[in-house]
Amino acid sequence: MKFADVLVIGGGPAGMSAALAAAAVGVRVTLMDRWSELGGQLIKQTHRFFGSERERAGTRGIDIVQELRDEIAANPLIEVKTNTDVLGIYADRVIAYEDADKKFKRMTADKIIIATARPRRCSCSRTTTCPASTARARSRP
């Protein structure tokens, strides 16, 4: 079974940054995203950002994504798996996923970082409470 020190689920800017931060301290990282390319919603940002230079002020979102992609591609400690859906995370840190070849696989990781976007619409029915949209769920530790 495949092993990574850290698994990052979600290839948007938060997931990409988490993968780079983990690799910077010398651990092996697997970064998974369900889409064909990394970047998440930031790839849609064509305006220049405001703020400090440290926060990349004056840089377009699409350019920030490319910088992060280049850093990840150059880092031998980071393995990227795009077109990959995580199907389950189990108590013994076994992660079940479907890869780009539509094969079901498993792996383990010492640490798991979930950096996925909140779904636009919850698929919960009217008779259930959607944890993604309730204040009570958001306030839980």
Side-chain angles (χ1 to χ4, degrees):
M1 188 178 321
K2 180 178 167 20
F3 171 80
D5 295 309
V6 176
L7 169 65
V8 179
I9 303 169
M16 295 168 75
S17 297
L20 287 165
V25 296
V27 298
R28 292 170 296 167
V29 179
T30 298
L31 173 60
M32 292 184 178
D33 194 74
R34 72 173 1 166
W35 304 112
S36 60
E37 59 183 12
L38 299 176
Q41 296 298 311
L42 195 56
I43 61 175
K44 298 177 184 177
Q45 304 299 322
T46 58
H47 64 278
R48 295 183 189 278
F49 286 93
F50 299 101
S52 68
E53 278 187 39
R54 181 173 176 260
E55 301 300 325
R56 297 186 167 130
T59 307
R60 297 178 191 281
I62 189 75
D63 296 330
I64 295 169
V65 166
Q66 193 55 54
E67 289 173 22
L68 293 171
R69 285 179 185 162
D70 291 345
E71 287 180 52
I72 287 170
N75 194 316
L77 292 173
I78 302 174
E79 176 187 15
V80 176
K81 292 185 163 296
T82 54
N83 292 312
T84 300
D85 280 316
V86 174
L87 306 172
I89 302 171
Y90 301 95
D92 55 357
R93 293 188 317 269
V94 171
I95 298 95
Y97 64 95
E98 182 181 24
D99 70 7
D101 297 327
K102 301 298 179 198
K103 293 182 180 175
F104 295 103
K105 296 186 176 177
R106 295 178 304 154
M107 70 173 290
T108 62
D110 279 339
K111 304 292 180 189
I112 302 168
I113 299 171
I114 301 174
T116 57
R118 183 181 70 80
R120 274 191 197 185
R121 295 183 185 181
C122 184
S123 61
C124 301
S125 72
R126 289 178 168 238
T127 60
T128 62
T129 303
C130 179
S133 63
T134 62
R136 183 174 160 198
R138 286 191 298 270
S139 66
R140 288 185 188 148

